[in-house]
Amino acid sequence: SHYFIQSNLRYSAMSGQKRLVVLGATGATGQLLIQQAVQRNYLVTALVRTPSKITFQDKNLTVEVCNIFDKAQLQPHVDTADVIMSCLGFPLAWSNPVPHFLTVAQNLSECMKESGKRRVIFMHAWYTDPASHAQASFLSRNIFLWLVIGQTLAGMRLSEKFLETTDHLDYTCVLPAGLTNGPVTDQEFLTNDTDSIVPGCPSRISRAD
């Protein structure tokens, strides 16, 4: 298993039961995240548009309807969080970068500055940095990265560049390889903090990992 991590982490280890607020909790990765988090004794708040999409219940899980593009709705959840994690995904775009990744990052930044909270983690993807595209195969570079997900990656990159300008957040952007629907594995995790891919590795990772 392998992923790139971009981080300015200055956060000390936490102790005791902590509250995790999750954005994108109804997606395939978000569902696995909240399940694994409650199993690890986090108090999890899932911020969703459609609560019925959360398919399980747990004493450590609270599901809340929230418009994450409305800072007034987002603020009280940020106020109670120890850690915020985003697994958000948005519909593909064809002509301009998907704007919502940046909007959410900006909203979270403002809310966290207001509440004095610092720790936030975003899940993006390999190849958000255009300079890394040259390392992809010809077909991947000219069809998948350009025509299919190019504007999604560009939107993610805009949010990453914004995060680099902040000085009040302890943020991490996790950029996994292509996600499969496999189970949790015992594969070694390989990371790279100098590029937006992990060179020499297969381009797939189980989303459960």
Side-chain angles (χ1 to χ4, degrees):
S1 300
H2 36 277
Y3 50 87
F4 166 78
I5 296 180
Q6 173 185 341
S7 179
N8 69 340
L9 182 59
R10 303 182 299 274
Y11 198 74
S12 58
M14 298 183 301
S15 60
Q17 192 174 32
K18 297 297 181 180
R19 184 170 296 280
L20 173 64
V21 172
V22 178
L23 284 62
T26 59
T29 306
Q31 295 258 6
L32 289 168
L33 171 60
I34 61 176
Q35 291 178 41
Q36 293 185 19
V38 297
Q39 291 168 3
R40 288 162 172 76
N41 203 37
Y42 281 91
L43 295 171
V44 178
T45 299
L47 304 184
V48 303
R49 290 181 300 174
T50 311
S52 60
K53 290 184 178 180
I54 301 293
T55 56
F56 78 103
Q57 297 180 339
D58 188 276
K59 62 181 179 62
N60 284 342
L61 174 64
T62 301
V63 180
E64 298 279 0
V65 175
C66 178
N67 177 2
I68 59 175
F69 299 106
D70 182 340
K71 287 181 287 186
Q73 291 190 35
L74 189 59
Q75 186 69 62
H77 300 293
V78 170
D79 291 344
T80 64
D82 294 297
V83 181
I84 299 166
M85 297 186 71
S86 171
C87 296
L88 288 167
F90 300 102
L92 296 175
W94 307 109
S95 59
N96 294 293
V98 176
H100 308 306
F101 297 103
L102 176 59
T103 301
V104 170
Q106 291 171 330
N107 284 354
L108 282 174
S109 174
E110 292 182 29
C111 290
M112 295 177 75
K113 189 170 187 178
E114 175 70 22
S115 64
K117 300 303 176 70
R118 299 180 62 86
R119 188 71 177 113
V120 59
I121 302 170
F122 298 89
M123 187 191 75
H124 287 170
W126 270 20
Y127 295 114
T128 55
D129 184 353
S132 67
H133 292 189
Q135 301 180 60
S137 69
F138 177 84
L139 288 178
S140 292
R141 182 171 65 251
N142 290 283
I143 297 178
F144 188 64
L145 295 183
W146 181 45
L147 291 176
V148 181
I149 65 168
Q151 300 301 343
T152 296
L153 297 175
M156 291 175 173
R157 186 59 175 168
L158 287 176
S159 71
E160 292 165 8
K161 298 300 288 184
F162 165 74
L163 291 168
E164 291 174 4
T165 70
T166 65
D167 59 7
H168 62 282
L169 297 178
D170 288 331
Y171 73 87
T172 299
C173 295
V174 180
L175 282 57
L179 298 172
T180 70
N181 292 319
V184 174
T185 74
D186 59 359
Q187 293 186 50
E188 179 185 5
F189 288 99
L190 302 178
T191 65
N192 175 19
D193 60 3
T194 61
D195 198 356
S196 63
I197 67 169
V198 182
C201 288
S203 57
R204 293 290 183 268
I205 183 174
S206 172
R207 73 176 70 245
D209 283 341

